[in-house]
Structure formats: structure tokens, C-alpha cells
Amino acid sequence: MELFSPSWQALRAAVAALPDEDFDQPSGSAAGRAAALADPALRVSTQDKVLTAGDYLSAYVLEWTPHHLDLTAHLPSAAAPPAETLAPARTALERIAGAPFPASFSDEAALRVGTGRRTPTDAERAALGGLAANLPLVLG
């Protein structure tokens, strides 16, 4: 849960730093303020599931970080997601995959390849072994 605000702030900062010709619509919401006030143990319901507010907000780290990577892939002048959100997003993706990505993969590579945002190189595919057959992972 403690990474919800940094991941949200990093994405907002990256968007805010874009020149008008790249993105000229206002961005933001009260999400960061609400997350800071939420009791992490509070139970919430969404999509017929019940989970803690902490788990719910932590899921957004995995949700936003690949979208932040999308932004930097298409707009190289945008700030990259912070390492403090890349590593937990990778860990969450590995839990979904049921296996770790190779240590040779950076967190960014694991997220891009794991979510299908980038095709693995031949060397990466070999390093993935059996996990390669299960990629890309569908989130959501």
C-alpha cells in the first residue's frame, strides 16, 4: 500500500512534464489523497471479490507501472517509472505467472515481456524456459 502514492505521483509527474503537443489534457484525481487516508486493513469489495484496501491499492502499482512504461515507450522524453515501483510490480507479475522471471531480466524487461508489450529476444525466450509458453499474461 505504501507504494500506491509514489507510483501514482510518478505517473502524474511524468504526464505533467510532457510538452503540450504530446499531451494537453488535464490529468489527476483525488486518488492519492484518498489512498493516504485509507486504513490498509479495511475490507473493500470490487468485481465480486473482497480484499483489503492495502491489497486493492497495491494492485494499482501493477496496473499503472506497465502503463507508465507504455508512456515512456511512445514518448521518450517522459520520465521513467521509479525503481521503487518497478520491483514490486515485477514481484506481483511473478506471483500471477506462478514463476519468477529470469534474474537476467531487468524489472522493466520483465514487465514489458510479461505483459506482451515487447516480444522477447531469442536469448530472453531461452532464459524464460517453460514460462515463455504462458506469455503474455493477461491482467485484469
Side-chain angles (χ1 to χ4, degrees):
M1 181 162 157
E2 68 273 1
L3 294 176
F4 176 87
S5 290
S7 68
W8 174 243
Q9 290 168 356
L11 180 58
R12 289 184 60 202
V15 171
L18 292 173
D20 287 342
E21 61 269 13
D22 287 340
F23 187 81
D24 61 4
Q25 299 297 317
S27 176
S29 74
R33 187 169 62 251
L37 298 174
D39 175 357
L42 179 72
R43 298 210 177 269
V44 296
S45 175
T46 182
Q47 299 180 353
D48 296 324
K49 307 272 189 236
V50 177
L51 58 160
T52 66
D55 288 340
Y56 177 79
L57 295 174
S58 294
Y60 275 96
V61 174
L62 177 56
E63 174 72 20
W64 286 335
T65 303
H67 289 302
H68 194 152
L69 290 171
D70 293 341
L71 180 71
T72 61
H74 298 286
L75 300 169
S77 65
E84 69 180 316
T85 62
L86 285 168
R90 175 192 183 137
T91 299
L93 190 65
E94 289 173 336
R95 280 195 306 265
I96 292 167
F101 283 85
S104 60
F105 279 45
S106 67
D107 295 335
E108 181 178 329
L111 291 166
R112 288 187 190 277
V113 170
T115 59
R117 286 166 164 82
R118 179 171 72 71
T119 303
T121 64
D122 289 341
E124 288 173 331
R125 185 173 300 286
L128 285 165
L131 181 57
N134 298 326
L135 301 178
L137 297 170
V138 177
L139 308 176

